[in-house]
Amino acid sequence: YHNNSCSDSTRLTVRSIGSYDGYILETSENSNKGGALNSTATTLRLGDDVARKQYRSILSFNTSSLPDNAVITLATLKLKRQGIIGGGNPITTFQGFMADIKKGTFGTSALQLTDWQATANKTLGSFKPSLVGGWYTINLTPARAYINKLATGGGLTQIRLRFKLDDNNNAVANYLSLYSGNAGAASRPQLIIEYYVP
C-alpha cells in the first residue's frame, strides 16, 4: 500500500457569514472611501449607482476548521447571481471581477465603511467567469497563502469583491446583484478549499 498525500486531500466548503458580509457604496465618484453600507440585505452589489459611485462587497468566511498545518492545494469562490440592474453584462462593462483577499479582517469582523478602501494582502483579477447553472466560479488558488487557519485572526478570511472599472461614467445605475450570506443557505457565497495535512 502506497500512501500518496494527494489522495488524502479534504474538501472544505464554508459559506459567507451573513452578519459580517454586505455591500458598501462609495461616498462620491472619486472619493475612494466607503459612504453607506448594508449588511442585512440578502444580496451583494458590484457596479455603480446613478451618481457614478462604486459598489464593493465584502465576503466573510470562517476558515478556522482548517488545521494550522494544512497545505491548501485549491481555493475556489462560488457566487450565485440574483440579477442585473441597468441591463447588459456588468462583468463585461466593468472589465471583470477583482478579488482582494485579507488574512483576517479588513477592520473588525463586522462590516465597516472603511472596508471599502482598507488594504488587502493580495489582489487577484480581473476575472470574467461565465454563468453556469446560476453561479460564477472564481479561482482563488494563487491567494491560498492568505486563507486563515485555526490559530490566527479568529479564523476569518475576508474577500472584497469589486469590478476593475470603478464606474462606466453614465448616470445610470448598473450593477450585478449576487446572493449574500443572508440569503437562503443554498444560495450563499461559497469558499471551497481543498487541502491535505502532511
Side-chain angles (χ1 to χ4, degrees):
Y1 173 69
H2 176 67
N3 180 15
N4 179 341
S5 62
C6 294
S7 63
D8 297 334
S9 81
T10 304
R11 172 181 281 222
L12 170 70
T13 299
V14 285
R15 290 179 171 79
S16 188
I17 303 166
S19 53
Y20 294 166
D21 73 4
Y23 63 82
I24 309 170
L25 182 63
E26 197 176 7
T27 54
S28 60
E29 181 182 1
N30 299 306
S31 71
N32 292 312
K33 283 188 178 149
L37 61 78
N38 187 325
S39 62
T40 56
T42 55
T43 53
L44 304 168
R45 293 178 180 182
L46 297 179
D48 68 5
D49 75 348
V50 290
R52 299 191 282 270
K53 297 187 277 192
Q54 185 187 11
Y55 285 111
R56 294 181 171 188
S57 290
I58 303 284
L59 302 173
S60 191
F61 295 99
N62 181 348
T63 46
S64 64
S65 54
L66 283 171
D68 283 327
N69 59 341
V71 177
I72 297 170
T73 53
L74 211 61
T76 306
L77 178 65
K78 292 189 73 178
L79 305 161
K80 190 174 184 186
R81 184 172 82 174
Q82 187 266 333
I84 288 172
I85 303 299
N89 180 353
I91 297 174
T92 309
T93 305
F94 296 98
Q95 301 173 5
F97 288 110
M98 302 295 290
D100 300 318
I101 294 94
K102 183 72 175 180
K103 186 172 186 173
T105 59
F106 283 104
T108 59
S109 50
L111 192 67
Q112 294 176 290
L113 291 177
T114 47
D115 291 351
W116 196 96
Q117 72 268 19
T119 308
N121 291 121
K122 177 101 175 158
T123 296
L124 299 178
S126 65
F127 299 97
K128 295 180 183 172
S130 313
L131 192 67
V132 180
W135 292 80
Y136 297 108
T137 301
I138 294 174
N139 176 15
L140 297 182
T141 306
R144 63 184 180 268
Y146 301 104
I147 290 172
N148 237 331
K149 297 171 188 174
L150 177 62
T152 43
L156 285 177
T157 301
Q158 292 196 328
I159 298 168
R160 180 172 57 217
L161 290 174
R162 55 190 170 90
F163 283 137
K164 186 176 177 185
L165 192 66
D166 60 338
D167 66 81
N168 61 352
N169 261 331
N170 65 2
V172 177
N174 191 199
Y175 59 85
L176 173 66
S177 183
L178 301 162
Y179 285 104
S180 77
N182 291 310
S187 299
R188 291 173 196 158
Q190 297 179 5
L191 181 62
I192 302 162
I193 298 160
E194 291 188 19
Y195 69 93
Y196 68 90
V197 175

